[in-house]
Amino acid sequence: MAKNSEETIYERVVNEDNRRAVFQRKCIAFVFFCALGIGLSFIKLPIPFTPKILSVEFSYIAVLLVAFTVHPLAGVAISVIKSAAVCIFIPSFVPSAVNKILVEVVSVLITYWLFKVTVRSRMLEKAEQKHVAKGKGKIDKVLPSLALSGLLGTVVSGAVTVLSVSYVLYPLQLRLSSVSSEEVLGYYQVAYGGLTRLLPFLTGLFPSMDSILVGAIVYNGPMTAAKCLFCALLLLAFYKPLNHLINEP
């Protein structure tokens, strides 16, 4: 009886130590990816045949990795912190920061939710049962779920970007800055002229660049979706080793 009691106390101590170690590693991971996200936020890459007011950066990868390995709300926190950090140095970035936070928060939460739903789906359970019945053991449900949720999250991010740019970013930017809607639309029209010479079929879909909404559909949405797809591929590559490093005792 005494021996069993000693074993129980020992197990409790070990479990408590393990929980404390995991928590410490999560805190370290949060700080590291927060710094990474802030650093990547300042590295903006111009894209050919796009309006000169647009660029792409890959700080979203920090949001994704933390959301999946630490906690979804930790990913939300990093999105807010890195955007706020940019605003400290570039005050005119505030409208873009609001847009970026909105798009990233919606995208990462939906992607994480899709991952949880997919990994517990009946389809994967049935596939695993067939695999086990053939004597091949259990299948890896994590990577297929990551791939599917990442792909669907990419589509969501593009759609959210179109709406956010059209109804949040530019209305806010026009109120807070001296830039006129005609000037912003002019940037899109100049870029669209060059793009249609490269891809003539676009004129069949969008005969003219006559509104910010069309510009968001042609440029902002696809650019964000492509960025999120790249970040989802990085998540697919690094999730398992990072999750093992951070969450396993």
Side-chain angles (χ1 to χ4, degrees):
M1 186 74 176
K3 186 177 180 180
N4 290 337
S5 178
E6 289 177 2
E7 288 178 352
T8 302
I9 294 173
Y10 174 75
E11 288 174 358
R12 287 178 181 174
V13 171
V14 170
N15 290 336
E16 184 62 30
D17 288 343
N18 288 338
R19 282 194 292 270
R20 188 180 296 111
V22 169
F23 177 75
Q24 290 172 348
R25 290 197 295 269
K26 284 186 174 183
C27 290
I28 293 171
F30 178 82
V31 173
F32 172 79
F33 283 111
C34 191
L36 177 66
I38 292 172
L40 290 175
S41 295
F42 288 95
I43 304 174
K44 300 183 184 294
L45 305 175
I47 306 298
F49 302 105
T50 64
K52 67 178 184 179
I53 56 174
L54 299 184
S55 60
V56 66
E57 45 88 1
F58 296 96
S59 62
Y60 181 61
I61 184 57
V63 176
L64 263 185
L65 287 173
V66 166
F68 276 77
T69 58
V70 177
H71 194 278
L73 294 182
V76 171
I78 285 186
S79 179
V80 174
I81 291 170
K82 67 185 181 66
S83 295
V86 177
C87 291
I88 292 173
F89 294 96
I90 311 173
S92 61
F93 186 72
V94 170
S96 297
V98 173
N99 174 71
K100 182 177 290 294
I101 291 170
L102 176 61
V103 172
E104 289 184 348
V105 167
V106 172
S107 299
V108 75
L109 291 180
I110 289 180
T111 302
Y112 184 83
W113 175 76
L114 288 169
F115 169 71
K116 287 298 183 181
V117 169
T118 307
V119 82
R120 299 169 185 166
S121 66
R122 291 183 179 180
M123 180 181 69
L124 284 180
E125 286 181 2
K126 289 181 179 179
E128 185 175 55
Q129 289 172 359
K130 290 180 180 179
H131 213 255
V132 171
K134 293 179 181 178
K136 297 181 180 180
K138 293 185 176 182
I139 63 174
D140 182 1
K141 295 191 288 186
V142 172
L143 291 182
S145 299
L146 278 175
L148 182 59
S149 61
L151 184 61
L152 294 176
T154 294
V155 176
V156 169
S157 68
V160 172
T161 296
V162 170
L163 296 175
S164 181
V165 165
S166 302
Y167 301 108
V168 177
L169 172 59
Y170 284 117
L172 191 60
Q173 201 166 41
L174 294 175
R175 287 192 177 190
L176 298 179
S177 69
S178 58
V179 179
S180 65
S181 58
E182 291 77 13
E183 186 177 354
V184 173
L185 187 58
Y187 290 128
Y188 281 94
Q189 290 170 337
V190 170
Y192 191 61
L195 184 62
T196 52
R197 285 193 291 271
L198 180 68
L199 303 172
F201 71 89
L202 284 176
T203 54
L205 300 173
F206 306 100
S208 64
M209 183 64 60
D210 55 1
S211 69
I212 297 296
L213 177 60
V214 174
I217 293 172
V218 173
Y219 289 105
N220 299 76
M223 286 174 65
T224 300
K227 177 187 73 175
C228 289
L229 179 60
F230 177 74
C231 292
L233 292 174
L234 291 179
L235 174 66
L236 194 64
F238 291 107
Y239 172 76
K240 277 201 166 185
L242 280 175
N243 190 57
H244 175 77
L245 180 66
I246 295 170
N247 292 306
E248 294 186 14

